Amino acid sequence: MTAKIVFAANQGDIGGGEVMLLHLATAAREFHVDVEVVAPSASPVADLLSQAGFRVHGLGSTRREYLLALPRFARATPGLLWCNGLGPALTTAGRRNRVVHLHQTPSGRHAVAARLARSRARAVVVPSRSSALHVPGARVLANWTSEVVPEPRSQGDVQPVIGFLGRPSVAKGVVVLAEAISLLARRSDPAPRLLLAGESHFVDPEEQASVGVALGRIDHLCVRQGWTSPSRFFGQVDLAVFPSIVPESFGLVAAEAMSARVPFVVSDAGALPEVAGAEHPWIARSGDADALADTIEAALCSPPGQTAHAVASARERWEAHFSPVAGHARLGALLRDLGLI
């Protein structure tokens, strides 16, 4: 009999966890597992998975309605339930045939909820060793990314372009980055420009206001691009910077930079240094604008040979650990351990 996995989305909007849901479902299907998805009705996630050829069960018109309806659906639906986030894991706590996949490192009240959510699960997985330190008994199933091929870039821009891709929030370090750009502008000629790409989904109004004030101070040096594709983004920047000030459970954008062969700076928050690797030369102290400015400057001023070596090493690391080939192999090992393939 063909094994079956029902992937339960955490929400209807598309974030990093939902991108991984698509990767996981696609990889499981390639192992000849019968894959279905359950998600909020008429949501971006439901549309995304449906367009990828998966059978999608829509429940409720809001996330709350979806999570309230999920336990009954799970009881009536055979197969392994893969809870792709804390929401579906908590609302189905106690069901035996489940995988609990926590994409965020639980802390505070979420840590209590995560302990309840893991009840009777066959496996608990997290994306990094950093996260596993906070989730006893969890197995590391590192995220992976599709290959990023940067779009060709027009020549002639003398100002170095520093790029940020992600949610423009305080937590992601955008305020600290704006301060660092301001510092660099006072000591660099030409001053670097900041390309800020990403949308403010899941960012509360207070954070948006703080980010707006910080970016207003460097308005003459900053371009806010909104949503863009990784290929376009990485084709426009000389250096990518991911300066989170909260512990990251992984770092998909850092892995994308590694794939795209673009030099990048990360902060030392959570799993970012783990993703970048022990040999990565440009890691800044989180929450410190001076340290971030110094690290950006060091990356921009690095001799071409050293930059080329760092970029090549990062690409090799992506191929070995965060490419689709590597991710599929890790998922296959887990599915074999669960007796599904």
Side-chain angles (χ1 to χ4, degrees):
M1 180 180 291
T2 302
K4 177 179 177 180
I5 300 177
V6 180
F7 287 93
N10 189 53
Q11 60 192 5
D13 291 324
I14 298 175
E18 289 66 46
V19 171
M20 278 310 304
L21 172 56
L22 175 60
H23 289 335
L24 290 161
T26 301
R29 183 168 60 184
E30 291 176 3
F31 284 112
H32 305 292
V33 173
D34 181 13
V35 174
E36 297 180 7
V37 177
V38 57
S41 298
S43 64
V45 167
D47 292 343
L48 177 70
L49 273 294
S50 180
Q51 290 166 10
F54 295 99
R55 182 185 179 191
V56 178
H57 304 273
L59 299 180
S61 57
T62 65
R63 184 171 187 258
R64 182 175 183 275
E65 290 178 358
Y66 160 68
L67 292 176
L68 287 173
L70 185 58
R72 182 177 179 180
F73 171 87
R75 287 192 298 270
T77 305
L80 176 76
L81 182 67
W82 189 293
C83 299
N84 193 59
L86 181 57
L90 184 59
T91 198
T92 61
R95 188 183 192 272
R96 291 184 182 276
N97 196 21
R98 297 182 306 144
V99 168
V100 170
H101 194 163
L102 301 176
H103 291 280
Q104 301 296 325
T105 302
S107 61
R109 61 186 179 86
H110 288 150
V112 177
R115 285 196 293 272
L116 296 172
R118 301 198 302 267
S119 174
R120 295 187 176 182
R122 291 182 63 185
V124 178
V125 295
V126 294
S128 64
R129 295 191 304 274
S130 175
S131 285
L133 294 175
H134 302 272
V135 185
R139 175 172 180 158
V140 176
L141 182 67
N143 293 339
W144 66 90
T145 73
S146 300
E147 183 174 18
V148 177
V149 179
E151 293 181 2
R153 181 177 178 182
S154 59
Q155 301 299 314
D157 193 347
V158 297
Q159 282 182 288
V161 179
I162 296 167
F164 170 91
L165 176 64
R167 291 197 308 274
S169 66
V170 174
K172 293 294 184 181
V174 172
V175 171
V176 175
L177 178 56
E179 293 172 0
I181 295 295
S182 181
L183 290 170
L184 289 168
R186 293 198 289 269
R187 66 196 198 199
S188 303
D189 187 20
R193 290 192 296 115
L194 174 62
L195 176 65
L196 197 76
E199 296 181 323
S200 300
H201 292 316
F202 317 118
V203 181
D204 66 45
E206 186 175 338
E207 270 201 86
Q208 290 185 37
S210 297
V211 167
V213 170
L215 293 176
R217 299 190 183 106
I218 58 164
D219 187 62
H220 60 298
L221 296 171
C222 179
V223 175
R224 300 192 68 167
Q225 193 168 63
W227 184 91
T228 191
S229 68
S231 294
R232 184 183 180 206
F233 170 80
F234 286 111
Q236 294 176 292
V237 303
D238 298 295
L239 178 72
V241 182
F242 310 117
S244 294
I245 64 171
V246 297
E248 293 286 355
S249 57
F250 188 69
L252 279 173
V253 285
E256 288 175 336
M258 297 161 78
S259 169
R261 297 182 173 90
V262 170
F264 65 97
V265 169
V266 294
S267 72
D268 60 3
L272 288 174
E274 179 183 333
V275 172
E279 303 303 317
H280 189 69
W282 303 306
I283 299 176
R285 187 166 56 250
S286 66
D288 187 328
D290 289 290
L292 181 59
D294 290 344
T295 307
I296 291 172
E297 189 171 46
L300 291 174
C301 297
S302 177
Q306 291 183 15
T307 299
H309 175 73
V311 167
S313 297
R315 170 68 187 203
E316 291 175 2
R317 181 170 174 79
W318 174 80
E319 291 174 350
H321 298 286
F322 311 126
S323 65
V325 170
H328 288 204
R330 284 192 297 272
L331 179 63
L334 174 58
L335 296 183
R336 279 189 290 273
D337 289 348
L338 293 172
L340 296 176
I341 60 174

